[in-house]
């Protein structure tokens, strides 16, 4: 990191011809991995970013919704919308399947996280379950039932035996290892909307900033049909689950925070996606009233991941991705959408005088 | 384009009829000429219709025509159904078990990708454009089959939001055939008599009104007087059936079965209206225009359709009503295979699905197919006009012979280049 | 000018209504005075008469009394209001109102602006004439986006110009020659639509106004059937093709466009001006034929050509000779609407009984049909019948009286909501609805008007001791006619047998039943 304040600059951009749900960088920095809408994991070398992936991993089904790396090793944990959970060792542009659970959940696994020590993987699914897995061998450690409601996000507490989940209705649940019932729950008003026979859930991600702070991101939905929501991040006290601070990242056209991650120097990086052509890449600190960096050239951004040196990559959607009827090329082929991957140089906020 | 295309024009007979009629008829309420045959049809016909309208467009890929594990297939799995070899989306487990009672068309191909013009086109069966405003399915059926002996209004529309009397659905048939809309499933406005009017006074005022009307009608042509009295009779019929409109009085277990949501409760209300003798009920569910967040939206929406329609099919079967009630579940189009940046799907008339069951329909049919990636129809494609022919035929109406009269102009009841689809008919 | 004067002179010797009588001998009996009274009030004043007005006429023994009443109504302050309401419904078809548009209509009927001048203003609005500029609303109200997806409905405006101003519905000729009507050609639609495609709604002024872009090229089109390229210049229903005039670059405008103020400019060659002139030209037979047909419909309850917008050789007038005469005379009288209404009101057929001599025989051209009463006229009539408004108040018009009562204004909104058609639906025939029936049966405000303690008419009638007098007054008040002997006998018995504490309630219900009856709700 440079000591001088400076805004990140957009460097290389490459395009994945298949849309990606989420991207993550391996601890070694060798692999930038993304889960696609068609059951693949694609891996690129961030140091030499070109369109052609260095590795494609198949074996999943549906969408590869979420993936996370082991904190120290290039072991990738991935889950999909048909209920499969898997662990892969990445080495020399090859992937070795370490273990897999074909039916870790009944259907869509919405979220996955790895404990700070790398020993536990947590998943939450549409089936209303929160499950803990032994990261080494994939054995089920605990099955918690979150009232049968769709679980949208999960995280493992860094310093205790506790873990947390959030559901479609904006309810946060605090769990303790070995206990069947959740220890406490709290509802985040504004992160759920029921309208025209539809439940819209705004909680998309949970991350422990430290042992006392849980960060919850997503949006405050305002309307069904289109993506109308105010992107929001809440900092909550742990274990009380009281909202200490909130940051709203834009107007209701900007939609949801789709992805959030730590950025060097106690900062955060987030991306949003809302109405077509809306959504941004942002960097900020807790306490900021306004992100100090906003990048608006990429739109409908779905994921962001940070390299060790402060470079970061955002995954977005091509422009003009929306349209009624069939969009075809000159040969008459039906055209789908793509995911541009944009590499940024590091940046840092100007420090207050 | 206005869809006035085609090359074969079978209008000569109509032209002759039209000019003959022009020679004798003049305006007046009596210009809503009905054929003698239509009267006979109405006497004998006990068929009824329930149309479940998923306004905005349900995704065929997240319902009737799943393409799991393909480029545009989306996140969901498909599940086997009671029809061997046929799968539907995992979001409709109950309907999957009842597929042997349904007929599904997977090869719908229609013209209009816009809601504002697409909704009326589909609901009118997209007839050839003759510069006249065709009635919606409900108004048309109300006109063709008339009210049942219940004397209840023939066309009732159960919908969220405001209610009222929606004459625009009737097109050239005239406001008489418009929809009685029960907004929020609530009874029509002004249905409750204020307490200040006692039974005796109410009886007195209507007796007087009828007496005055009788005297006015003496020696006159009947149409105007009949119309003037008819609406009061209808109003009083509605009042007598006021309990019909209140599903709150039903047992909780029954309400739970349909689902405690708008679509569930409105479908339950529809079943009651049909049982009471309403000819055509449309239930509308809004909010299907999922340009954003399509998959989360369908995750909460489709299971509600699954629950409500399954409960309805069971009830109609238990009551022996499947033989005479036609159930149709559809929207103005489906949704695009490609997934946009808002994780939504857009409007897609090119290859979509709809479902039907009951009266005159062959059960357990899945007609047509789409390409493996869902991006086009891969079999004979069907326009909504052919479906209207099919439905009218199922209801015992000869869709290629029966005509509407627009003043003195005879008009086909469904697109004159199209025909019923035999595979769908029992 | 001289020929017009001589035509007027001959008309005075043998006025139009007499010539109509000769062409159209009626079979029905003449209407009695009370029937005529109610009918002519509804048609020319847009309301029923007050009891005072009714008595004045029914007690008049002058042989000229009907003619005098017609003239009185045509000169009354009610006449422009009534015509404003009727033409608003006809021309806008419930698309919504605008105060500038109301003002244009009101002023036009107050000063009896000739119909050709009115139509020229509709087609080529005069933005610099403050009292007439609202005529642009005819176009601007149609040049709006409908819903998020639909474009501005230019074909709809084109079609309405043909339908409403020339009586020809060219809607089916948009994409090919009409399949059924041999007179309706695609070139006619295309040649008219090119004019309105060129129209822009002005945003530089705060009132309804239109401008025009330059129109320099003929319209290219082809039939969807034949795909043969064709072209046309401007075509106006009933007139010959109008060639385009072009000017050298830089010379096209009398007033050039101004980007800054968003003024669209005033082209030297104005297609709207061409349509305005050629449509309203005296030689254009369709122009007069359409309007006389519409006024005939307004007065007699049906058009000589029916549907009103289907003038073509395959759908001839029910009485071509009469239709031609009306058109010629209307033209000769410089498109004078008030004159036309007066002449029709003076005919035997207008003054005949609407009860046919034989009800099994369909309505013929020599009959007067029962007519729909507009929501507006019905509202005024109910309030006059119930003595809530007094049309004889010399100080304040009905509208001024209404402006003083918030509850009655609310009631007016409800009336329009339940009795008017939906937007874009022409209001032609008597088509009652259940919504209106339930409104009349149960609306608290409607029922409040029948409360003997708070409302004038029921209050006054319940004070009368003589039951026959109650019946007579109610009949005159509501039906504008004396009660018959049979009616009186029946209702007197009803009132006499009612318990004492039920008498005023019974009178209220009697009033309600009269108002809800078909006799009150149609114009017969």
């Amino acid at each position: 990191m440079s000591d001088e304040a400076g805004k990140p600059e957009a460097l290389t951009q490459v395009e994945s011809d298949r849309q990606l749900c989420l991207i993550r960088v391996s601890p070694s920095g060798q692999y930038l991995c993304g889960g696609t809408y068609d059951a693949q994991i694609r891996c690129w070398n961030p140091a030499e970013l070109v369109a052609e992936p260095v590795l494609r991993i198949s074996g999943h089904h549906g969408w590869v919704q979420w993936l996370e790396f082991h904190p120290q090793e290039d072991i990738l944990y991935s889950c999909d919308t048909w209920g499969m959970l898997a662990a892969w060792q990445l080495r020399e542009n090859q992937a070795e399947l370490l273990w897999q659970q074909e039916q870790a959940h009944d259907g869509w696994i919405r979220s996955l996280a790895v404990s700070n020590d790398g020993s536990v993987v947590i998943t939450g699914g549409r089936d209303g379950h929160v499950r803990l897995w032994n990261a080494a061998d994939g054995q089920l450690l605990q099955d918690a039932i979150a009232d049968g409601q769709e679980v949208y996000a999960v995280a493992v507490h860094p310093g205790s035996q506790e873990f947390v989940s959030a559901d479609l209705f904006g309810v946060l649940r605090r769990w303790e290892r070995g206990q069947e019932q959740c220890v406490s729950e709290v509802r985040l008003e504004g992160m759920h909307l029921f309208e025209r026979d539809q439940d819209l859930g705004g909680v998309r991600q949970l991350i422990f900033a430290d042992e006392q702070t849980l960060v919850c991101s997503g949006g405050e939905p305002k309307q069904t049909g289109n993506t109308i929501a105010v992107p929001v991040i809440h900092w909550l006290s742990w274990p009380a689950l009281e909202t200490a601070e909130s940051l709203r990242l834009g107007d209701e056209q900007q939609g949801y925070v789709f992805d959030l991650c730590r950025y060097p120097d106690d900062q955060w990086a987030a991306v949003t996606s809302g109405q077509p052509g809306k959504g941004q890449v942002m960097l900020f600190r807790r306490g900021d009233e306004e992100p100090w960096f906003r990048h608006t050239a990429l739109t409908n951004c779905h994921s962001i991941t940070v390299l060790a040196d402060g470079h970061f990559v955002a995954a977005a959607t091509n422009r003009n991705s929306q349209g009624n009827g069939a969009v075809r090329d000159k040969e008459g082929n039906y055209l789908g959408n793509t995911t541009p991957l944009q590499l940024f140089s590091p940046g840092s906020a100007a420090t207050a005088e | 384009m206005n869809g006035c295309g085609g090359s074969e024009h079978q209008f000569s007979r109509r032209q002759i009829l039209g000019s003959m009629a022009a020679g004798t008829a003049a305006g007046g309420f009596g210009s809503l000429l009905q054929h003698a045959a239509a009267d006979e049809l109405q006497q004998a016909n006990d068929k009824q219709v329930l149309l479940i309208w998923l306004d905005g467009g349900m995704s065929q890929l997240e319902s009737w025509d799943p393409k799991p594990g393909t480029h545009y297939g989306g996140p969901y799995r498909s599940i086997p159904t009671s029809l061997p070899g046929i799968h539907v989306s995992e979001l409709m487990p109950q309907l999957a078990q009842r597929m042997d009672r349904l007929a599904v068309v997977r090869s719908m191909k229609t013209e209009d990708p816009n809601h504002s013009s697409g909704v009326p086109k589909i609901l009118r069966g997209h007839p050839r454009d003759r510069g006249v405003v065709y009635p919606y399915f409900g108004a048309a059926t109300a006109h063709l089959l008339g009210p049942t002996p219940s004397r209840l209004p023939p066309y009732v529309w159960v919908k969220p939001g405001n209610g009222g009397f929606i004459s625009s659905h009737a097109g050239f048939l005239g406001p008489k055939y418009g929809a009685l809309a029960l907004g929020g499933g609530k009874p029509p406005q002004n249905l409750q008599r204020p307490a200040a009017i006692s039974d005796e006074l109410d009886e007195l005022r209507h007796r007087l009104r009828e007496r005055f009307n009788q005297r006015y009608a003496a020696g006159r042509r009947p149409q105007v007087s009949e119309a003037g009295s008819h609406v009061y009779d209808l109003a009083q019929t509605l009042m007598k059936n006021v309990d019909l409109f209140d599903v709150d009085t039903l047992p909780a277990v029954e309400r739970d079965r349909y689902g405690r949501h708008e679509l569930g409760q409105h479908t339950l209300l529809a079943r009651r209206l049909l049982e009471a003798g309403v000819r055509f009920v449309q239930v509308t569910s809004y909010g299907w225009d999922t340009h954003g967040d399509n998959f989360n939206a369908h995750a909460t929406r489709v299971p509600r359709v699954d629950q409500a329609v399954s409960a309805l099919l069971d009830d109609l079967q238990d009551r022996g009503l499947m033989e005479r009630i036609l159930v149709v579940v559809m929207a103005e189009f489906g949704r695009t295979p490609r997934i946009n940046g808002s994780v939504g799907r857009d409007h897609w008339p090119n290859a979509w699905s709809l479902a039907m069951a009951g009266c005159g329909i062959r059960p357990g049919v899945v007609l047509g197919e789409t390409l493996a990636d869902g991006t086009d129809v891969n079999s004979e494609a069907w326009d909504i006009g052919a479906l209207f022919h099919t439905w009218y035929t199922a209801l015992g109406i000869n869709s290629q012979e029966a005509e509407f009269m627009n003043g003195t102009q005879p008009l086909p009841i469904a697109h004159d280049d199209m025909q019923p689809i035999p595979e769908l008919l029992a | 000018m001289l020929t017009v004067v001589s035509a007027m002179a001959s008309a005075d010797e043998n006025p139009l209504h007499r010539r109509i009588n000769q062409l159209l001998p009626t079979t029905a009996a003449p209407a009695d005075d009370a029937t005529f009274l109610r009918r002519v009030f509804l048609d020319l004043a847009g309301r029923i008469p007050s009891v005072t007005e009714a008595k004045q006429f029914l007690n008049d023994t002058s042989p000229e009394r009907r003619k005098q009443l017609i003239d009185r109504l045509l000169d009354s302050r009610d006449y422009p209001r009534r015509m404003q309401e009727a033409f608003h419904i006809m021309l806008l078809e419930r698309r919504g109102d605008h105060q500038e548009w109301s003002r244009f209509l009101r002023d036009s009927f107050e000063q009896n602006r000739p119909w050709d001048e009115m139509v020229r203003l509709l087609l080529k609005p005069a933005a610099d004439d403050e009292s007439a500029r609202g005529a642009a609303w005819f176009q601007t109200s149609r040049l709006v986006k409908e819903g998020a997806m639909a474009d501005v409905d230019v074909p709809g405006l084109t079609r309405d110009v043909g339908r409403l101003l020339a009586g020809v519905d060219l809607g089916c000729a948009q994409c090919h020659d009409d399949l059924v009507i041999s007179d309706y050609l695609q070139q006619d639609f295309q040649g008219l639509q090119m004019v309105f495609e060129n129209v822009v709604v002005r945003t530089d002024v705060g009132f309804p106004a239109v401008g025009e872009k330059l129109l320099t090229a003929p319209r290219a089109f082809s039939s969807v059937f034949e795909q043969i390229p064709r072209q046309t210049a401007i075509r106006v229903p009933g007139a010959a093709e109008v060639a385009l005039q072009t000017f050298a670059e830089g010379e096209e405008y009398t007033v050039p466009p101004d980007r800054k103020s968003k003024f669209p400019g005033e082209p030297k060659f104005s297609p709207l001006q061409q349509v305005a002139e050629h449509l309203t030209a005296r030689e254009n037979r369709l122009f007069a034929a359409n309007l006389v047909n519409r006024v005939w419909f307004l007065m007699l309850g049906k058009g000589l050509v029916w549907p009103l917008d289907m003038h073509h050789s395959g759908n001839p007038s029910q009485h071509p000779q009469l239709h031609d005469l009306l058109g010629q005379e209307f033209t000769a009288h410089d498109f004078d609407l008030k004159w036309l209404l007066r002449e029709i009101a003076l005919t035997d057929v207008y003054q005949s009984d609407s009860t046919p001599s034989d009800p099994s025989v369909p309505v013929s051209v020599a009959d007067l049909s029962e007519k729909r009463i507009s929501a507006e006229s019905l509202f005024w009539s109910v309030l006059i019948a119930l003595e809530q408004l007094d049309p004889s108040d010399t100080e304040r018009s009905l509208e001024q009286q209404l402006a003083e009562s918030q509850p009655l204004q609310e009631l007016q909104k409800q009336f329009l909501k339940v009795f008017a058609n939906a937007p874009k639906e022409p209001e032609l025939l008597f088509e009652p609805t259940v919504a209106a029936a339930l409104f009349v049966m149960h609306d608290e405000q409607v029922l409040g008007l029948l409360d003997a303690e708070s409302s004038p008419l029921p209050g006054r009638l319940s004070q009368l001791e003589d039951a026959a007098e109650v019946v007579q007054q109610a009949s005159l008040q509501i039906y504008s006619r004396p009660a018959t002997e049979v009616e009186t006998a029946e209702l007197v018995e009803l009132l006499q047998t009612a318990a004492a504490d039920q008498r005023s309630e019974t009178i209220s219900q009697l009033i309600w039943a009269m108002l809800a009856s078909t006799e009150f709700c149609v114009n017969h």
Side-chain angles (χ1 to χ4, degrees), chain B residues 1-2 4 6 9 11 15 130-131 165 167 175 190 194 205 211 213 215-216 219-221 227 231 234 239, chain C residues 159 172 175-176 179-180 224-225 354-355 359 361 370 425 431-432 434-435 441-442 487 490 509 517-518 522 524:
Chain B
M1 287 307 298
N2 64 356
C4 200
H9 293 270
F11 60 85
Q15 197 171 23
R130 289 178 165 81
F165 292 81
S167 56
N190 294 314
R205 65 180 185 160
R211 181 81 185 108
N213 282 356
R215 211 154 20 223
Y216 174 79
R220 292 181 183 274
R221 295 186 183 88
V231 292
L234 200 51
M239 289 174 65
Chain C
R159 189 175 166 213
C172 249
C175 307
H176 48 69
L179 297 175
V180 183
V224 292
F225 298 142
S354 63
T355 312
V361 176
E370 293 152 285
E425 271 179 34
E431 285 169 332
V434 190
M441 283 160 70
H442 298 149
E487 279 170 336
E490 275 179 23
Q509 299 320 319
S517 69
T518 311
V522 300
H524 42 80

Side-chain angles (χ1 to χ4, degrees), chain C residues 305-354:
Chain C
V305 167
W306 187 262
L308 294 177
D309 47 15
M310 278 290 165
H311 288 249
H312 61 87
S313 51
N315 183 36
S317 175
Q318 302 270 315
H319 199 310
Q321 207 186 343
L322 169 63
H323 206 146
D324 285 348
L325 174 69
L326 286 165
Q328 286 157 12
E329 287 296 308
F330 182 53
T331 309
H333 280 80
D334 296 333
F335 307 103
D336 181 338
L337 280 168
K338 198 181 265 198
W339 167 84
L340 180 64
L341 286 160
R342 181 176 187 274
E343 289 299 319
I344 295 177
L346 287 168
T347 59
D348 290 345
V349 59
Y350 181 78
Q351 298 193 16
S352 68
D353 199 305
S354 63

Side-chain angles (χ1 to χ4, degrees), chain B residues 322-341:
Chain B
M322 284 297 273
E323 284 73 36
R324 61 181 180 83
I325 297 183
L326 169 67
V327 181
V328 175
V329 182
M330 68 165 169
E332 65 267 43
F333 35 59
R335 306 213 74 83
T336 48
R338 77 167 180 164
I339 298 161
N340 67 33

Side-chain angles (χ1 to χ4, degrees), chain A residues 168-187:
Chain A
L168 167 64
F169 301 92
V171 177
L172 293 182
R173 289 188 178 82
R174 186 162 71 89
W175 306 86
E176 210 161 286
R177 284 281 286 275
Q179 293 203 16
E180 276 184 17
Q181 302 292 319
C182 73
V183 182
S184 65
E185 63 176 58
V186 64
R187 190 185 160 91

Side-chain angles (χ1 to χ4, degrees), chain B residues 1-2 4-6 9 11 15 22 24-29 31 114-116 129-131 165 167-168 174-175 188-194 197 201 204-209 211-213 215-216 218-221 224-225 227-229 231-232 234-236 238-239 347, chain C residues 146 149-150 159 172 174-176 179-180 224-225 306 315 318 354-356 358-359 361-363 367 370 417 422 425 429-435 437-444 447 479 486-487 490-491 494 502 505-506 509-510 512-514 516-519 522 524:
Chain B
M1 287 307 298
N2 64 356
C4 200
H9 293 270
F11 60 85
Q15 197 171 23
T24 52
F29 200 76
S31 65
N114 296 330
H115 298 295
S116 52
D129 187 354
R130 289 178 165 81
F165 292 81
S167 56
S168 58
Q189 226 182 343
N190 294 314
L191 192 60
Q192 294 284 1
R193 193 173 73 211
I197 310 278
L201 286 174
L204 169 68
R205 65 180 185 160
H206 284 297
R207 186 157 48 84
L208 286 169
R209 181 183 53 77
R211 181 81 185 108
F212 297 157
N213 282 356
R215 211 154 20 223
Y216 174 79
R220 292 181 183 274
R221 295 186 183 88
V224 163
S225 301
S229 297
V231 292
Y232 279 90
L234 200 51
Q236 288 174 296
L238 287 177
M239 289 174 65
H347 306 169
Chain C
E146 293 185 37
M149 293 295 205
R159 189 175 166 213
C172 249
Q174 184 179 348
C175 307
H176 48 69
L179 297 175
V180 183
V224 292
F225 298 142
W306 187 262
N315 183 36
Q318 302 270 315
S354 63
T355 312
D358 180 356
V361 176
V363 184
D367 291 319
E370 293 152 285
K417 204 172 124 194
E425 271 179 34
L429 307 173
F430 176 60
E431 285 169 332
T433 66
V434 190
L438 285 168
F439 172 73
V440 172
M441 283 160 70
H442 298 149
D443 181 77
E444 298 271 6
L447 297 180
Y479 289 152
V486 181
E487 279 170 336
E490 275 179 23
L491 295 174
L494 174 78
Q502 288 287 303
E505 278 293 359
T506 305
Q509 299 320 319
L510 170 64
W512 181 88
M514 284 184 166
S517 69
T518 311
E519 179 173 352
V522 300
H524 42 80

Side-chain angles (χ1 to χ4, degrees), chain A residues 18-19 63 81-82 106-108 110 196-199 225-227 273-274 302 321-325 334-337, chain B residues 68 71-72 74-77 261-263 289 291-292 295-297 300-301 304 337-342 346-347 375:
Chain A
R18 293 300 167 94
Q19 286 162 277
W63 290 359
T81 57
W82 290 19
D106 181 8
W108 196 335
R110 309 290 311 226
R196 303 202 290 187
D197 267 358
Q198 183 179 333
D199 289 291
N226 292 306
T227 311
S273 174
H302 290 151
S321 69
Q322 192 178 36
N324 299 330
Y334 186 82
L335 291 179
N337 287 315
Chain B
H71 189 171
Y72 306 112
Y76 295 107
R77 299 171 292 179
H261 38 78
E262 271 176 348
L263 181 62
D289 193 18
H291 290 286
F295 305 94
N296 291 330
T300 86
R301 306 188 71 93
R304 289 176 171 138
R338 77 167 180 164
I339 298 161
N340 67 33
S342 304
D346 303 315
H347 306 169
T375 55

Side-chain angles (χ1 to χ4, degrees), chain B residues 69-213:
Chain B
T70 67
H71 189 171
Y72 306 112
Y76 295 107
R77 299 171 292 179
S78 67
I79 50 172
T81 69
S82 57
L83 288 181
I86 298 294
H87 288 65
V88 296
S89 168
E90 64 174 313
L91 298 176
M92 29 176 65
Q94 296 192 52
L95 283 168
Q97 291 167 23
R98 291 162 179 79
M99 277 293 279
D100 55 324
R101 295 186 227 163
L102 292 166
V104 171
V105 182
R106 282 175 168 168
S107 51
M108 292 301 300
K109 193 179 188 74
T110 49
E111 261 186 17
D112 206 312
N114 296 330
H115 298 295
S116 52
S117 43
V119 172
K121 266 186 195 162
I122 299 298
L123 279 170
R124 290 183 179 123
H126 198 188
R128 186 193 302 292
D129 187 354
R130 289 178 165 81
V132 299
V133 180
Y134 260 72
Y136 280 12
F137 192 22
T141 306
H143 173 77
L144 291 165
L145 296 182
T148 66
S150 69
R151 310 309 297 172
L152 282 165
Y155 174 22
V156 177
W157 180 20
V158 184
K159 64 188 283 290
N162 293 327
F165 292 81
I166 316 295
S167 56
S168 58
H169 286 198
F172 60 70
L173 295 177
K176 188 178 171 187
Y177 294 100
L180 165 61
L182 307 179
K186 298 277 180 305
Q189 226 182 343
N190 294 314
L191 192 60
Q192 294 284 1
R193 193 173 73 211
I197 310 278
S198 66
D199 287 353
E200 291 72 26
L201 286 174
D202 193 47
E203 192 274 332
L204 169 68
R205 65 180 185 160
H206 284 297
R207 186 157 48 84
L208 286 169
R209 181 183 53 77
E210 280 159 21
R211 181 81 185 108
F212 297 157
N213 282 356

